[in-house]
Coordinates of all heavy atoms in Angstrom, one line a residue:
C92 N 286.9 155.8 26.4 CA 287.2 157.2 26.2 C 286.3 158.1 27.2 O 286.3 159.3 27.0 CB 286.9 157.7 24.8 SG 288.0 156.9 23.6
R93 N 285.6 157.4 28.1 CA 284.9 158.2 29.1 C 285.3 157.8 30.5 O 285.5 156.6 30.7 CB 283.4 158.0 28.9 CG 282.8 158.6 27.7 CD 281.3 158.5 27.7 NE 280.7 159.2 26.6 CZ 279.4 159.4 26.5 NH1 278.5 158.9 27.4 NH2 278.9 160.1 25.5
H94 N 285.3 158.7 31.4 CA 285.6 158.3 32.8 C 284.4 158.7 33.6 O 283.9 159.8 33.6 CB 286.8 159.1 33.2 CG 286.8 159.8 34.5 ND1 287.1 161.0 34.7 CD2 286.3 159.3 35.7 CE1 286.9 161.4 36.0 NE2 286.5 160.3 36.6
R95 N 284.0 157.7 34.4 CA 282.8 157.9 35.3 C 283.3 157.9 36.7 O 284.2 157.2 37.1 CB 281.8 156.7 35.1 CG 281.2 156.6 33.8 CD 280.3 155.4 33.7 NE 279.7 155.3 32.4 CZ 278.6 155.9 31.9 NH1 278.0 156.7 32.7 NH2 278.2 155.7 30.7
F96 N 282.7 158.8 37.4 CA 283.1 159.0 38.8 C 281.9 158.6 39.6 O 280.8 159.2 39.6 CB 283.5 160.5 39.1 CG 283.9 160.8 40.5 CD1 284.8 160.0 41.1 CD2 283.3 161.9 41.1 CE1 285.2 160.3 42.4 CE2 283.7 162.2 42.4 CZ 284.6 161.4 43.1
L97 N 282.0 157.5 40.4 CA 280.9 156.9 41.0 C 280.9 157.0 42.5 O 282.0 157.0 43.1 CB 280.7 155.4 40.6 CG 280.7 155.1 39.1 CD1 280.7 153.6 38.9 CD2 279.4 155.7 38.5
C98 N 279.8 157.0 43.2 CA 279.7 156.9 44.6 C 279.8 155.4 45.0 O 278.9 154.6 44.6 CB 278.5 157.6 45.2 SG 278.3 157.4 46.9
G99 N 280.7 155.1 45.9 CA 280.9 153.7 46.2 C 279.8 153.1 47.1 O 279.6 151.9 47.0
L100 N 279.1 153.9 47.9 CA 278.1 153.3 48.8 C 276.8 153.1 48.1 O 276.2 152.0 48.2 CB 277.9 154.2 50.0 CG 279.1 154.3 51.0 CD1 278.7 155.3 52.1 CD2 279.2 152.9 51.6
L101 N 276.4 154.0 47.3 CA 275.0 153.9 46.7 C 275.1 153.6 45.2 O 274.1 153.2 44.6 CB 274.3 155.2 46.8 CG 274.1 155.7 48.3 CD1 273.5 157.1 48.3 CD2 273.3 154.7 49.1
G102 N 276.3 153.6 44.6 CA 276.4 153.3 43.1 C 275.8 154.4 42.3 O 275.6 154.2 41.1
K103 N 275.6 155.6 42.8 CA 275.0 156.7 42.0 C 276.2 157.4 41.3 O 277.2 157.7 41.9 CB 274.3 157.7 43.0 CG 273.7 158.9 42.3 CD 273.1 159.8 43.3 CE 272.5 161.1 42.6 NZ 271.9 162.0 43.6
Q104 N 275.9 157.7 40.0 CA 276.9 158.4 39.2 C 277.0 159.9 39.6 O 276.0 160.6 39.6 CB 276.6 158.3 37.7 CG 277.6 159.0 36.9 CD 277.3 158.8 35.4 OE1 277.2 157.7 34.9 NE2 277.2 159.9 34.7
L105 N 278.2 160.3 40.0 CA 278.3 161.7 40.5 C 278.8 162.6 39.3 O 278.5 163.8 39.3 CB 279.3 161.8 41.6 CG 279.0 161.0 42.9 CD1 280.0 161.1 43.9 CD2 277.6 161.4 43.4
A106 N 279.6 162.1 38.4 CA 280.1 162.9 37.3 C 280.5 162.0 36.2 O 280.8 160.8 36.3 CB 281.3 163.7 37.8
L107 N 280.6 162.7 35.0 CA 281.0 162.0 33.8 C 282.0 162.9 33.0 O 281.6 164.0 32.6 CB 279.8 161.6 32.9 CG 280.2 161.0 31.5 CD1 280.8 159.7 31.7 CD2 278.9 160.8 30.7

Side-chain angles (χ1 to χ4, degrees):
C92 294
R93 290 188 173 189
H94 134 226
R95 297 178 183 272
F96 181 47
L97 304 174
C98 176
L100 288 177
L101 303 176
K103 180 182 177 182
Q104 179 177 305
L105 300 181
L107 176 64

